[in-house]
Amino acid sequence: MKIVEIRRYPVKSLLGEVLPAAAVGARGLDGDRLWAVRDADGKLGSGKSTRRFRRMPGLFAMRATAAAGAPVVELPDGRRFAADDPAGHRAVSAVLGRDVTLAPEADVPHHDEGPVSIVTTAALRHLTGLGGGEPGGGPLDPGRFRANLLLDVPGTGFPEDGWHGRLLRAGPQVVLRVIRPLTRCVMVDMAQDGACDRDDLLKLLAARHGMTFGVLAAVQRPGRVTVGDGCALD
């Protein structure tokens, strides 16, 4: 078992970046979902509407990359703004068709449920076999799940279902504790980063796996992870 992909999303619910390595601290990957698009009433931009979040179509048209001070947001027309630049706030508002600002995390974490999200290649293969492959053929795109770590695990099925409460050693430094399955929402069906729009994947997960896919983990020991690092369960 090893790490084959590391993803970070500097601004929650925008497209993010694929990394060769990342530092992992108590709140997860450094800089992951540290900023968010904030509506006038304080709700955070998302693909869903809840007590904390507001659905804002257009978020996946923008990409955020980490930078010193504040992330850089790239708009659909290629313009780039620092997340703390008021001109950028106005530009993002124009894309979304509503008045918003970009704000760093305060007292309440921006994460939906937990610090580090994990999916496995085994589960991706299994879900593809159940009919969850990409429309037109091809394996399921792991980017739909916006997980921090993609682990290469032999075989098929949902091996992570048996990891709850266990320690996961990721590379020579980081130790994670798997805490629960990751409940999915309509965002898995939305067009993003090359994956096309669809309307069946969440329904498939609801019917075959309790609407969950992947797991969440807390950080027991911080450190650094790198693509290719071996992983082991205790």
Side-chain angles (χ1 to χ4, degrees), residues 65-143:
T65 54
V72 172
V73 176
E74 182 175 344
L75 275 60
D77 61 8
R79 287 180 295 158
R80 294 163 61 88
F81 296 91
D84 58 358
D85 182 347
H89 296 185
R90 293 190 292 271
V92 170
S93 297
V95 171
L96 298 177
R98 62 195 314 137
D99 289 332
V100 298
T101 58
L102 283 82
E105 187 174 277
D107 296 336
V108 179
H110 288 163
H111 298 108
D112 289 14
E113 298 186 65
V116 178
S117 51
I118 302 167
V119 298
T120 69
T121 57
L124 287 167
R125 283 190 292 271
H126 188 58
L127 195 56
T128 295
L130 292 175
E134 292 301 324
L140 185 59
D141 188 337

Side-chain angles (χ1 to χ4, degrees), residues 15 60 63 134-135 141 143-144 190-197:
L15 301 181
F60 283 169
R63 182 181 302 278
E134 292 301 324
D141 188 337
R144 289 188 179 277
M190 293 180 177
Q192 53 182 297
D193 229 2
C196 68
D197 198 35

